[in-house]
Every structure is written in C-alpha cells, then in structure tokens.
Amino acid sequence: MRTIRIHGAGDLREEELPAPEPSPGRVRLRMAYAGICGSDLHYFAHGANGEYVVREPLVPGHEVSGTVDADPSGELAPGTPVTVHPAVFGPPADGLADLPHLRPGGSYLGSASTWPHTQGGMSEFLVVDREMVRVLPQGLSLRAAALAEPLAVALHAVTIAGDVAGRRVLVSGSGPIGLLVAAAALERGAGEVVATDVLPGPLERARALGVHGTVRIGEQEVEREGFDVVLECSGVPVAVSAALLAARRAAVVVQVGMVPNEPRPVNLAPLVSKELQLRGTFRFAGEIDEAVRVLAANPALERVVTHEFPLERAAEAFAVAADSEFSGKVLVSLGR
C-alpha cells in the first residue's frame, strides 16, 4: 500500500508498505482523506511536536475518513463510510473516570508520544480497534467527515469554557482550529462570536462561517474587558497575554492552541486583578459523536477545507498547510 512517512525534520517520503491485516476486534479501513493538523506540520518541519521526537519513521494523520475494507466480525459491511476516534485511552486512573483522554498510558494516531510510535492514517489502509470506528450518517460526505476530529477538539474546548449560550465570545486566532472553535461556539448558542488574526485570509474564512465580527491584530484593537469567554487558539505567548486583557472580570479564558514546552513570558497580572479562570483543554473524550452530528446538520462547515491534494503531492500539501494566509484545512486524498 502507498503511505506517507516522516523520517525527520523536512524528510517526508511516499513509500510502499505491506497492507495490514485486521485481527479479531479490529477493522481494516480503506482511507479516503487525512487532514493535516498542526502537530503533523511540527513533525514534518522540526522532526518533533513539543517534547515528542520522531525516533522512527512516522505515518502522520489523525483527522481521517474512509470506508470499511474488512471486518473479521462481519458487523460492518465493506464500503461502510466511517470516521475514526483516534485515541486509545489508558487504563483507569484515580480522579479521571470522566476524563479518559487524560489517563496516562494512552495513544493517539500519528503520534510520536509512544514507543513504538502510534502510526497514523495517511495511508491507503489503516487498521484500528472496532470501538474507534464511527459510522457516518447518510448524507455526510467522506470529505466533510475528515473534519470530525478537529471539530471534536473544538467542541471539547467550548465544553471546558462552560455554558456559552447568549454570551460574548472571543476566538483568538483563526487558523483551522480557531475556525472550528468559532463554529462550535456558534453551535452551542453563543450570543456573539468575534474572531481575531494577524492575516486577512483567515478572517475572511471566519466571516464565511458566520462570526459576528473580526479583528485584524496589528491594525485594529481588541476590546479590553469586553468578553465573557476567550478561547485562545494561536498558542503564541503574546496572544495569551492579550487574551487575559480582552476578558471581562471573572471571565473564563481557555488555552486551546498548543504552547511551546518551555518558559515564555506571559503577563499574568490581569489573571489576578480580574479573578479570571484560565483553563487548559487537551484533545477530547467523546465529542467526536457530537462532531459527526454537527457536520451532518451543517454542510457549510466544509468551507473550512480550502485545499485537497492527492497522496503523491503530500509534500506540496504540507507546504500549503503551513501558509495560514493562503489555506484553511488542507486534506490529502488517499484513494488511487
């Protein structure tokens, strides 16, 4: 089977590997699409994503869709359209009964956090545990279903923020995850959603999704103490400081974008003086089921996808995905 593997920084190769065989309790999928995530870009550009270093060839891709190719149990018929919950949760741990995604010892498709690495879905075929498979509702395309995983991340971030119904929400950063966070806030009934970015392209895409307002950083000012909830999606330390300034007194600020795994200066004075709640969010638990329903009910969300490349042009796809002015979500098409 054809597959994409990252061997180190800047070293991405199309290779032929044997097709995997599904054992009992597992399902082989014929892959259709894999979205390029920020973590995939880090693995390609730097050979690492934060503290997780590529130590063996890594197949990227955890934002995936495809069809059932072989199910030894016979439960899922060949050709059934699906997406995948990319996590295998770790064993039960004290205090984490309702937070399985935070248990130690789990794994995630396309991640160098485990050894051996957990290979991802940017291949013609992928074998996963049966419980990771989510059958798509009628009418939801495989192309749109590739957004289920990042939309689940966005929905979980809004869950962490709490009830946003009727509230004024700021989304800092309008890359692909910021766009989906804005969409998730709108889906959950936010009264007003304002999106920011330093570039005009992402803001244009945010407006197309229906946000109520946009702010171009560097040219316009974000209203200070103007928002009940701030969802910071850029991961840039200066943006974290700005998020604390934009939050109203006693507001909630959720850090969605991954930040560098190193000390960086952040102004925490507003956190204290305004009694803000600064919360982290990491992946998701079960929100992928909600994400599938939301995508089926809102076909316009597919607008987040701006580019699609065949597998043999994966290097070009990664280059385009790294250009946030030019691209939103970039998909790699995995069929022959």
Side-chain angles (χ1 to χ4, degrees):
M1 67 175 183
R2 295 187 306 161
T3 190
I4 294 299
R5 295 206 294 179
I6 296 171
H7 289 252
D11 188 357
L12 182 149
R13 309 177 197 176
E14 178 186 344
E15 298 177 337
E16 284 283 344
L17 296 176
E21 293 295 331
S23 54
R26 310 200 81 201
V27 179
R28 183 170 67 196
L29 307 178
R30 182 182 294 273
M31 306 310 296
Y33 293 100
I36 298 176
C37 176
S39 61
D40 301 323
L41 291 174
H42 281 297
Y43 283 129
F44 173 54
H46 311 295
N49 179 39
E51 62 184 302
Y52 305 131
V53 178
V54 175
R55 293 178 287 161
E56 65 174 344
L58 175 68
V59 180
H62 52 262
E63 306 174 355
V64 296
S65 64
T67 56
V68 173
D69 185 67
D71 178 5
S73 73
E75 178 187 356
L76 296 173
T80 300
V82 301
T83 188
V84 176
H85 191 313
V88 173
F89 298 133
D94 290 344
L96 299 176
D98 297 325
L99 301 168
H101 60 298
L102 297 183
R103 297 174 190 163
S107 63
Y108 214 75
L109 292 180
S111 175
S113 63
T114 54
W115 181 257
H117 297 339
T118 303
Q119 302 300 327
M122 209 169 283
S123 297
E124 284 191 274
F125 295 97
L126 175 69
V127 169
V128 296
D129 293 344
R130 169 62 185 90
E131 56 264 30
M132 298 168 71
V133 177
R134 300 295 190 273
V135 175
L136 303 185
Q138 187 173 5
L140 180 57
S141 70
L142 289 171
R143 190 173 190 265
L147 294 172
E149 191 275 350
L151 180 56
V153 170
L155 289 164
H156 183 69
V158 177
T159 297
I160 292 295
D163 185 6
V164 299
R167 310 195 79 189
R168 198 160 189 243
V169 176
L170 180 70
V171 177
S172 167
S174 297
I177 195 63
L179 293 175
L180 291 170
V181 166
L186 291 168
E187 171 68 21
R188 297 278 182 85
E192 182 180 0
V193 177
V194 176
T196 76
D197 207 275
V198 297
L199 299 170
L203 295 178
E204 182 179 347
R205 290 186 279 275
R207 288 189 290 270
L209 284 179
V211 301
H212 299 88
T214 58
V215 176
R216 185 173 178 187
I217 302 300
E219 293 187 358
Q220 300 168 288
E221 292 292 327
V222 178
E223 182 182 347
R224 289 199 175 198
E225 297 196 18
F227 298 91
D228 306 300
V229 175
V230 181
L231 295 141
E232 204 301 293
C233 301
S234 73
V236 179
V238 67
V240 180
S241 295
L244 299 178
L245 292 174
R248 285 180 176 156
R249 294 170 185 267
V252 174
V253 178
V254 181
Q255 186 58 45
V256 186
M258 292 294 288
V259 294
N261 186 33
E262 59 189 35
R264 289 288 181 94
V266 173
N267 179 16
L268 293 179
L271 181 74
V272 176
S273 63
K274 295 192 286 186
E275 285 196 6
L276 302 178
Q277 297 182 53
L278 179 59
R279 303 174 182 175
T281 181
F282 183 67
R283 295 176 180 166
F284 58 94
E287 285 91 348
I288 197 163
D289 299 300
E290 181 184 0
V292 168
R293 294 193 297 271
V294 171
L295 287 166
N298 297 274
L301 288 179
E302 195 174 337
R303 293 176 183 170
V304 173
V305 178
T306 58
H307 295 80
E308 179 184 323
F309 292 88
L311 184 144
E312 58 269 19
R313 294 172 60 193
E316 184 180 353
F318 272 70
V320 169
D323 185 346
S324 58
E325 162 64 11
F326 184 55
S327 69
K329 177 59 64 180
V330 177
L331 301 183
V332 176
S333 175
L334 301 167
R336 287 190 182 271

